[in-house]
């Protein structure tokens, strides 16, 4: 049983809870391979997706997760909502809560917005990415992908290369992977590496080769131009040349290493197209695992609500 009403981040989620989510998601992943993707596990429950930033994977997979489990599902895009008329996040949340909903999946550009919402609504809040803070469901789906490939997470070396500073994915992965006993190495231009990341448990590599040496999984991260104000690296082509993951670098990784990317990917910048589409790539499997993880979280949070609220 989860110990919380909301899923806000992996910093506060313990190893036992993460394992329970992954075990449940494993079963959901098998369910997704079946012919009939319909269950009544969440019949009579309602999920709202409330996204203040663009999304393809996260929003769609929350919607599908709810639908596959039989919940009612409504999508609200901030651009078409009363947010445009000046309504606050809390007023929006309390309005939705009054409609007797059970879950809100939110993405917001401000770090901490999902927590603020969670403190003001009865519904369970699921963080679909908040600013540069956390993206817990992305990290959980990354962990599920890796665990299904290798049968474990403990003892693995995971290399994360790219825009670490602006990445909520990198932080949630660091918290989750460390709790399950993986070693997390990071590499980026100095200007894109948070100064205190080692205090959070990451190992900072001096080169791409050092990051990838002996790695079981190599994750490229998107350059988040929308969160940068320029001047952090000279140009995309130079970024790609000096910091991108190239085919020839894979020789430093373990033979059966996998390539990961949370998407959306800038082809040829963070990863070469041959790595993205190659036999080591698990990028599309990550997307499928994303639906499974969100199904698992809806199920487990629903059980928490039945028992505690
Ligand atoms: N990985 C991820 O969050 O993708 P979207 O922005 O498409 O949701």
């Amino acid at each position: 049983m989860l110990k919380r009403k909301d899923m806000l981040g992996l910093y506060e989620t313990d190893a036992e809870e993460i394992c329970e989510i992954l075990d449940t998601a494993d079963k959901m992943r098998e369910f997704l391979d079946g012919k009939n993707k319909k269950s009544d596990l969440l019949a009579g429950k309602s999920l709202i997706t409330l996204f203040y930033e663009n999304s393809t994977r996260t929003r769609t997979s929350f919607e599908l997760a709810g639908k596959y489990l039989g919940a009612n599902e409504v999508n609200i895009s901030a651009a078409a909502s009363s947010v445009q008329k000046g309504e606050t996040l809390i007023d929006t949340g309390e309005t939705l809560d009054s409609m007797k909903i059970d879950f809100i999946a939110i993405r917001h550009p401000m770090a901490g917005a999902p927590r603020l919402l969670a403190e003001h609504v009865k519904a369970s809040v699921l963080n679909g990415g908040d600013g540069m803070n956390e993206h817990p469901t992305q990290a959980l789906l990354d962990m599920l992908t890796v665990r299904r490939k290798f049968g474990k997470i403990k003892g693995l070396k995971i290399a994360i290369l790219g825009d670490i500073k602006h990445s909520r994915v990198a932080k949630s992965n660091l918290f989750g992977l460390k709790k399950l006993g993986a070693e997390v190495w990071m590499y980026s231009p100095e200007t894109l590496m948070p100064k205190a990341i080692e205090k959070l448990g990451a190992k900072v590599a001096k080169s791409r080769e050092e990051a990838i040496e002996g790695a079981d999984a190599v994750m490229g991260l998107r350059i988040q131009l929308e969160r940068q104000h320029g001047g952090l690296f000279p140009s995309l082509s130079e970024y790609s040349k000096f910091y991108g993951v190239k085919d020839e670098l894979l020789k430093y990784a373990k033979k059966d290493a996998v390539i990961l990317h949370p998407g959306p990917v800038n082809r040829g910048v963070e990863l070469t197209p041959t790595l993205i589409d190659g036999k080591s790539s698990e990028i599309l499997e990550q997307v499928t695992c994303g639906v499974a993880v969100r199904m698992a979280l809806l199920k487990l949070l629903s059980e928490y609500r039945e028992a505690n609220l």
Side-chain angles (χ1 to χ4, degrees), residues 51 54-59 107 128 135 138 168-169 262-264:
F51 274 52
N54 295 340
S55 168
T56 297
R57 292 151 201 79
T58 312
R59 197 181 79 185
R107 171 170 288 183
H135 193 347
Q138 177 67 46
R168 51 201 180 201
V169 176

Side-chain angles (χ1 to χ4, degrees), residues 24 26 84 91 170 253 262 276 279:
T24 309
D26 231 346
Q84 293 304 321
D91 284 341
I276 294 167
K279 63 178 173 38

Side-chain angles (χ1 to χ4, degrees), residues 7-233:
M7 173 42 66
L8 301 176
L10 296 191
Y11 184 78
E12 63 194 27
T13 308
D14 67 31
E16 194 187 336
E17 290 176 288
I18 293 173
C19 287
E20 187 179 9
I21 297 164
L22 296 182
D23 291 346
T24 309
D26 231 346
K27 295 189 191 106
M28 297 299 182
R29 178 64 190 84
E30 301 300 323
F31 170 91
L32 289 173
D33 279 337
K35 284 204 172 79
N36 178 21
K37 294 189 282 300
K38 195 73 186 166
S39 145
D40 60 2
L41 212 58
L42 294 185
K45 310 285 186 216
S46 298
L47 161 69
I48 289 191
T49 53
L50 176 62
F51 274 52
Y52 292 79
E53 280 185 352
N54 295 340
S55 168
T56 297
R57 292 151 201 79
T58 312
R59 197 181 79 185
T60 310
S61 59
F62 266 121
E63 289 175 16
L64 283 174
K67 283 180 174 155
Y68 289 156
L69 294 178
N72 304 308
E73 197 285 322
V74 176
N75 165 51
I76 298 177
S77 153
S81 74
S82 290
V83 168
Q84 293 304 321
K85 300 176 191 165
E87 189 166 64
T88 67
L89 177 62
I90 294 171
D91 284 341
T92 301
E94 288 177 346
T95 301
L96 299 176
D97 225 20
S98 303
M99 298 182 195
K100 306 297 178 191
I101 56 164
D102 302 280
F103 308 103
I104 304 175
I106 179 174
R107 171 170 288 183
H108 200 286
M110 191 191 92
R115 186 177 304 281
L116 184 68
L117 179 66
E119 285 166 1
H120 288 85
V121 295
K122 293 192 188 76
S124 290
V125 175
L126 297 106
N127 181 1
D130 62 326
M132 289 158 48
N133 183 35
E134 281 223 42
H135 193 347
T137 59
Q138 177 67 46
L140 288 164
L141 76 86
D142 296 336
M143 292 164 77
L144 181 65
T145 307
V146 167
R147 200 180 78 160
R148 285 176 64 83
K149 170 76 184 175
F150 297 108
K152 62 175 186 176
I153 287 180
K154 192 175 169 63
L156 297 182
K157 173 175 176 177
I158 315 291
I160 303 179
L161 296 91
D163 182 356
I164 310 285
K165 182 174 180 171
H166 299 97
S167 176
R168 51 201 180 201
V169 176
K171 291 178 195 86
S172 287
N173 262 297
L174 177 59
F175 300 143
L177 286 164
K178 289 290 297 175
K179 282 177 186 174
L180 294 203
E183 203 174 81
V184 182
W185 283 75
M186 294 186 171
Y187 181 70
S188 75
E190 203 183 331
T191 49
L192 293 177
M193 183 66 76
K195 296 280 176 264
I197 199 81
E198 279 168 307
K199 291 203 177 100
L200 296 175
K203 291 183 188 291
V204 175
K206 292 186 179 60
S207 64
R208 287 176 288 192
E209 289 80 357
E210 187 187 11
I212 295 172
E213 177 75 47
D216 299 279
V218 179
M219 182 188 296
L221 292 179
R222 186 171 67 85
I223 289 293
Q224 301 199 27
L225 293 172
E226 75 275 22
R227 295 190 211 284
Q228 298 178 14
H229 304 292
L232 296 176
F233 53 87

